[in-house]
């Protein structure tokens, strides 16, 4: 049996290629609205960030998502993203990687 291909995405903070499951997608819609995309299926310009709180803090400090998404991202969104990442990381540690998110 052939091993399954693992989809890889580039982390906009570290510029490293990582498995898509270890990343969170942030999307800018046509209207310019920036949101977390847990499904990875929302339409719009997407950027991937590692599921590491340190990566989110660095992105906020350097306003990396502003550049990657070509939009102005406010500090409230970075805080929301940080909370989301901490929650997802805690879930992974508690439940393993059963649900694939």
């Amino acid at each position: 049996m052939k091993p399954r291909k693992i989809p890889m995405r580039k982390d906009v903070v570290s510029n490293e290629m990582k498995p898509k499951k270890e990343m969170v997608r942030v999307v800018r819609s046509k209207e310019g609205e920036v949101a977390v995309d847990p499904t990875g299926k929302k339409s719009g310009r997407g950027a991937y960030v590692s599921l590491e709180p340190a990566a989110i803090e660095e992105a906020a400090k350097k306003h990396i998502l502003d550049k990657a998404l070509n939009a102005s991202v406010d500090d409230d969104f970075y805080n929301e993203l940080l909370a989301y990442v901490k929650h997802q990381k805690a879930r992974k540690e508690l439940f393993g990687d059963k649900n694939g998110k």
Side-chain angles (χ1 to χ4, degrees):
M1 202 166 135
K2 205 164 79 173
R4 288 181 61 141
K5 187 171 172 253
I6 299 170
M8 302 291 276
R9 297 293 181 267
K10 191 174 194 175
D11 182 344
V12 293
V13 178
S14 68
N15 283 327
E16 288 177 42
M17 294 297 282
K18 295 183 179 178
K20 189 176 171 183
K21 283 184 178 180
E22 295 174 17
M23 313 277 275
V24 60
R25 183 172 186 252
V26 179
V27 66
R28 175 185 46 88
S29 67
K30 279 191 176 117
E31 295 76 41
E33 212 173 284
V34 177
V36 175
D37 182 10
T39 62
K41 291 177 172 67
K42 285 185 181 177
S43 64
R45 176 81 173 113
Y48 287 85
V49 185
S50 179
L51 279 172
E52 290 295 325
I56 305 304
E57 288 163 1
E58 187 179 338
K61 195 166 57 180
K62 296 180 180 174
H63 287 275
I64 291 171
L65 287 176
D66 298 52
K67 296 170 191 131
L69 296 172
N70 201 11
S72 63
V73 181
D74 60 10
D75 292 338
D76 290 343
F77 178 77
Y78 281 111
N79 292 334
E80 182 187 317
L81 182 60
L82 183 61
Y84 175 83
V85 166
K86 285 180 178 176
H87 175 77
Q88 289 300 323
K89 194 172 164 107
R91 281 188 60 165
K92 245 185 196 169
E93 286 166 11
L94 277 175
F95 305 115
D97 199 13
K98 284 183 281 196
N99 63 355
K101 295 238 170 14

